[in-house]
Amino acid sequence: MLPIPVLDDETFEEIASQAKSMIPRFCPDWTDFNEHDPGITFLELFAFFKEIQQYHLDQIGPANRQKYLKLLGMSRLHRSPARTGAVVSGREERFLPEGIRLMAGDLPFETLAPAWLGQIRLLGGFSWDGSHRRDFEGEGLTDPGSRHLLAFGRNPGPEAAWYLRLDRFPSGEEPFRLHLWIGQDAPVRRNPAPHGMIPLVQLAWEYLDREGWKPFQLLEDTTRGLLFTGDLVLTGGTPCSWEEAPQSQREQLGAPGCWLRVRLTGGSYDVPPVVTGISCQMVPVRQQETRATWRSCQPHEGRIEDGSLLAAAGEYALFCQEDGLWYPRPARRERDGRYTCFVLEDGGEEDTLLLLWRQEFSRSRHLGIGDGFPNQSFRLDGGGQLTDAFGLLIAEAEGNGWSLWQQVEDFDASGPEDRHYVLDGEEGVVSFGDCIHGMAPEGEILIVGETVSMGAGGNVKSGRIQEIHPEDLAFCGLTARDVQVVNPDDAQDGQDREGMDDCFARCRRMLRQTDRAVTYEDYERLVKETPGLMIPNCKAVPVNQLPRPDGSFEENCITLVVEPYSPGTRRSLNPAYTRNILGHLENRRMLGSKISLISPEYVRIIVYAEILAKPHYLDARARIQAAIAGFFQKGWDFGSPVRYSELYGIIDTLDCVQAIESLTIDAQGRGITRSVGGDVILPFNGLAVLQSASCQVRPAE
């Protein structure tokens, strides 16, 4: 670590004494060094100033620490809203627009998608693994964790499918949202998966039509192919009524209802998916309140459609772009079914800016008027603004054009012509540059986007979201008795603005972590962290253990033995696992190196033992066999030999064993050898698996 210099290393007395000692050299005629001398008074005054400057130079304030973080490539995490899902149901069949505020006490949660108000019940269904059918009832499946359904059975075959029977289906062409809770009960944790994960399987979602099964269009799948709890958004068709379905399909399905199914069309699961809950009326929500928002769009025949509640109930304005600036345009609002249409009175197809805001925010959206002077700042109405949803539209000094200004972390990289600003969402302050680093505004300042959130305060428990905001209910023509709202899961991921100390602690953790593969240990760790996979065991094989036929070594090739998890005992890599691992390592491997993945070589072990047991131990055989099984289930390293002495010692130390008369270890597999002492030497990718243990137990006299 670099030494930290101490700048405040002199006291006032030392500075003054050093200055007095320099007087004879620079001013020999000055001989009176007493305090009554005016020169000594000035000397002590400047010594005092120097001591103050040294003190401040030696201090590190928040601004300095912020710069240090930036030099390290770090920045403090911004406030983020809590997220969860809410079940919205009612007696009427109606779509509620996006942006409805659901209330958990005084905390608003906004819906991120339209909600279907009519009650949809899951009546049941069945799973088909390719040879066997298993029926299930829909009762209780809306309570997550109450049931455990194997969607495709325990051993899904190529023709595996999962059938769902609903009592009704949303009318119209609106997307259908299905929320699934997927169990994660395997002993090995599945790694979180980003959007770039290659699916392990290919699924086809279909609905029963008058002519047979028709494909859905899958708009969204946050379950990653039924691997994680999440949502499926389907569109492109509506199931027919039971009476209109083909006779052959009705005979096969056996029960009335609206039928959906998902077929396994390719790939294979490492662990068969277990569904612990299903909801047909779950809508994603986020703890926030949007006061104003904007979006850039391209009108079609002078019309812009928007399906949000804010577009239908809020205030609006439209700006069109011309020569890089935005100019206000007259427009009218119309309702077209579920959508709100904004019609430009003069038509046009140019880029358009649609501004929407709540009526009560009309006065607050006028932030102020810039005077053109440097270092302007304006205070917002309260704090808690989300930085990614905040926007400013500022009038130009000349003409009637407006420009969108860009939000930045600081003005270090801003030039005098850059329209930049800094938002402090915790304090609720907007700051502008000094005309050298960042332009100063000179005109009216409008807030076009502002969304506030409680951050970590929005992480409410399940069951806390219970009603719709009264104003939103009234606009939709509903009463509180018409709608039921509940959140089955806790709200998560809500965070406040990261503190400076927390950011430095996170930086230290990141500096200690390695995201590049250099050593064998790096490769092994990164393989186990591959997103979406379950990998309990990985071993990098040294180059000197893999010679070529001519005796040379491929030194730039990294060979990795990977054991994926699955319920069976013989686990091998499938194509999806291989592609995911290689894709994860591609940007992390050393330049010029190659990656080779191989599956384990399972060596079957058969144990024969003749044991002399102590009297009165009637369960001696079971104890001995359990000890042998535990020896092979302890977790085996690749290439570790099966040592005769270890197994002998485990059996011999049991309380029920008086003597071992004979012990034989037989092995079946490729690449195995034997030592003089009877040990089974496995190949570099070998794993020992107990196939059977035969024990002849004879009681001692």
Side-chain angles (χ1 to χ4, degrees), residues 11 66 128 205 304 310 312 323 330 332 344 434 486 646 689:
T11 64
Q66 189 82 18
W128 174 258
W205 286 88
I304 299 172
L310 196 57
D323 297 330
R332 67 180 186 273
L344 292 167
D434 58 2
V486 68
E646 289 185 17
V689 177

Side-chain angles (χ1 to χ4, degrees), residues 302-304 311 316 318 332-333 340-344 354 356:
R303 299 169 64 88
I304 299 172
Y316 70 94
L318 275 79
R332 67 180 186 273
R333 177 166 52 188
T340 301
C341 295
F342 298 92
V343 183
L344 292 167
L354 173 62
L356 302 170

Side-chain angles (χ1 to χ4, degrees), residues 49 124 260 262 427 650:
F49 286 155
L260 317 176
V262 54
E427 299 295 332
I650 287 174

Side-chain angles (χ1 to χ4, degrees), residues 278-580:
I278 305 173
S279 176
C280 304
Q281 296 180 272
M282 180 82 80
V283 58
V285 297
R286 190 162 54 193
Q287 195 283 300
Q288 64 184 33
E289 184 174 32
T290 302
R291 298 173 178 173
T293 186
W294 85 101
R295 68 183 181 96
S296 181
C297 46
Q298 190 82 26
H300 179 66
E301 297 181 353
R303 299 169 64 88
I304 299 172
E305 290 186 347
D306 193 299
S308 67
L309 178 68
L310 196 57
E315 303 292 327
Y316 70 94
L318 275 79
F319 288 72
C320 292
Q321 193 175 47
E322 183 178 341
D323 297 330
L325 296 178
W326 298 97
Y327 295 89
R329 290 287 181 88
R332 67 180 186 273
R333 177 166 52 188
E334 300 176 352
R335 294 298 301 272
D336 183 11
R338 194 178 67 80
Y339 289 92
T340 301
C341 295
F342 298 92
V343 183
L344 292 167
E345 294 184 358
D346 55 355
E349 302 288 336
E350 61 268 27
D351 292 339
T352 302
L353 205 63
L354 173 62
L355 310 185
L356 302 170
W357 65 91
R358 297 191 183 277
Q359 186 175 6
E360 60 270 20
F361 190 66
S362 295
R363 296 184 61 184
S364 300
R365 65 189 291 263
H366 296 274
L367 185 59
I369 298 178
D371 54 16
F373 286 93
N375 299 319
Q376 300 177 55
S377 62
F378 298 86
R379 184 165 293 277
L380 305 169
D381 291 341
Q385 286 79 14
L386 299 177
T387 57
D388 57 351
F390 192 85
L392 292 179
L393 189 67
I394 302 179
E396 291 295 305
E398 298 179 358
N400 62 344
W402 298 69
S403 59
L404 276 173
W405 286 46
Q406 181 183 356
Q407 184 183 153
V408 295
E409 288 287 338
D410 53 48
F411 298 111
D412 290 351
S414 303
E417 300 297 326
D418 291 330
R419 293 172 170 82
H420 293 169
Y421 67 91
V422 173
L423 169 67
D424 186 343
E426 304 306 304
E427 299 295 332
V429 175
V430 176
S431 304
F432 296 91
D434 58 2
C435 299
I436 299 175
H437 298 284
M439 180 185 290
E442 189 175 1
E444 187 177 1
I445 304 173
L446 284 181
I447 300 175
V448 296
E450 182 174 338
T451 302
V452 295
S453 174
M454 289 293 293
N459 293 327
V460 300
K461 297 297 183 181
S462 61
R464 288 291 307 278
I465 304 176
Q466 298 178 345
E467 60 183 358
I468 297 181
H469 194 283
E471 294 181 5
D472 298 350
L473 269 177
F475 179 81
C476 296
L478 300 170
T479 64
R481 292 179 297 179
D482 298 329
V483 184
Q484 294 81 44
V485 178
V486 68
N487 59 309
D489 300 321
D490 298 342
Q492 298 178 343
D493 300 332
Q495 295 181 351
D496 296 328
R497 178 71 187 277
E498 187 178 32
M500 192 75 71
D501 293 337
D502 294 334
C503 188
F504 271 101
R506 180 167 60 90
C507 180
R508 295 187 188 97
R509 291 194 300 269
M510 292 183 64
L511 291 175
R512 287 195 295 267
Q513 295 175 353
T514 303
D515 195 41
R516 293 292 181 268
V518 179
T519 66
Y520 286 154
E521 290 76 12
D522 296 337
Y523 279 99
E524 294 169 0
R525 177 179 53 81
L526 289 172
V527 167
K528 292 180 181 180
E529 295 173 355
T530 303
L533 304 189
M534 306 167 69
I535 301 176
N537 204 356
C538 176
K539 182 68 174 178
V541 183
V543 175
N544 58 12
Q545 294 188 15
L546 297 170
R548 293 169 173 163
D550 60 358
S552 63
F553 301 101
E554 192 174 5
E555 297 183 356
N556 66 332
C557 182
I558 309 298
T559 302
L560 299 165
V561 187
V562 181
E563 180 191 18
Y565 177 78
S566 67
T569 57
R570 299 177 64 82
R571 305 160 182 168
S572 59
L573 289 169
N574 59 40
Y577 258 72
T578 300
R579 290 196 300 269
N580 275 286

Side-chain angles (χ1 to χ4, degrees), residues 586-646:
E586 177 60 30
N587 295 327
R588 295 169 173 83
R589 62 183 176 86
M590 294 185 66
L591 187 64
S593 62
K594 298 189 299 184
I595 308 296
S596 175
L597 303 179
I598 59 176
S599 296
E601 174 68 29
Y602 293 97
V603 177
R604 299 183 299 276
I605 302 296
I606 303 173
V607 177
Y608 303 93
E610 294 182 1
I611 308 296
L612 186 64
K614 294 180 181 179
H616 311 300
Y617 280 94
L618 302 180
D619 59 345
R621 183 191 302 275
R623 289 192 180 197
I624 296 168
Q625 290 181 336
I628 296 173
F631 173 72
F632 287 95
Q633 293 173 359
K634 64 180 180 180
W636 218 263
D637 292 331
F638 290 107
S640 295
V642 180
R643 300 191 182 280
Y644 184 92
S645 58
E646 289 185 17

Side-chain angles (χ1 to χ4, degrees), residues 102-374:
L102 311 182
M103 306 302 295
D106 296 332
L107 284 179
F109 284 76
E110 288 185 350
T111 60
L112 305 180
W116 170 253
L117 196 58
Q119 291 184 346
I120 300 177
R121 290 192 305 118
L122 176 66
L123 302 178
F126 62 90
S127 62
W128 174 258
D129 62 5
S131 58
H132 297 88
R133 169 172 171 164
R134 297 179 184 274
D135 292 86
F136 66 88
E137 298 295 328
E139 184 179 358
L141 274 175
T142 55
D143 300 324
S146 59
R147 301 274 296 277
H148 288 73
L149 297 177
L150 287 164
F152 299 107
R154 296 190 180 278
N155 298 299
E159 301 298 326
W162 187 39
Y163 292 77
L164 299 177
R165 180 167 63 98
L166 309 178
D167 67 336
R168 67 174 71 182
F169 199 79
S171 58
E173 299 181 356
E174 300 295 336
F176 175 62
R177 184 175 294 269
L178 189 66
H179 185 85
L180 300 177
W181 285 274
I182 306 297
Q184 302 288 346
D185 299 331
V188 177
R189 185 183 67 89
R190 186 181 296 279
N191 296 325
H195 293 285
M197 174 189 172
I198 300 173
L200 301 184
V201 296
Q202 290 78 50
L203 302 178
W205 286 88
E206 300 171 328
Y207 63 94
L208 183 59
D209 186 67
R210 298 179 183 89
E211 301 175 359
W213 292 101
K214 296 292 184 64
F216 272 122
Q217 180 183 354
L218 185 62
L219 297 182
E220 181 182 358
D221 181 12
T222 59
T223 69
R224 307 289 187 269
L226 306 189
L227 295 180
F228 300 92
T229 297
D231 293 325
L232 291 151
V233 183
L234 308 170
T235 188
T238 302
C240 66
S241 63
W242 177 251
E243 293 76 13
E244 298 174 325
Q247 179 66 27
S248 59
Q249 296 295 338
R250 285 189 290 175
E251 293 176 356
Q252 177 189 2
L253 299 175
C258 294
W259 282 88
L260 317 176
R261 76 176 181 183
V262 54
R263 292 187 298 111
L264 182 61
T265 60
S268 61
Y269 282 105
D270 45 12
V271 176
V274 178
V275 180
T276 62
I278 305 173
S279 176
C280 304
Q281 296 180 272
M282 180 82 80
V283 58
V285 297
R286 190 162 54 193
Q287 195 283 300
Q288 64 184 33
E289 184 174 32
T290 302
R291 298 173 178 173
T293 186
W294 85 101
R295 68 183 181 96
S296 181
C297 46
Q298 190 82 26
H300 179 66
E301 297 181 353
R303 299 169 64 88
I304 299 172
E305 290 186 347
D306 193 299
S308 67
L309 178 68
L310 196 57
E315 303 292 327
Y316 70 94
L318 275 79
F319 288 72
C320 292
Q321 193 175 47
E322 183 178 341
D323 297 330
L325 296 178
W326 298 97
Y327 295 89
R329 290 287 181 88
R332 67 180 186 273
R333 177 166 52 188
E334 300 176 352
R335 294 298 301 272
D336 183 11
R338 194 178 67 80
Y339 289 92
T340 301
C341 295
F342 298 92
V343 183
L344 292 167
E345 294 184 358
D346 55 355
E349 302 288 336
E350 61 268 27
D351 292 339
T352 302
L353 205 63
L354 173 62
L355 310 185
L356 302 170
W357 65 91
R358 297 191 183 277
Q359 186 175 6
E360 60 270 20
F361 190 66
S362 295
R363 296 184 61 184
S364 300
R365 65 189 291 263
H366 296 274
L367 185 59
I369 298 178
D371 54 16
F373 286 93

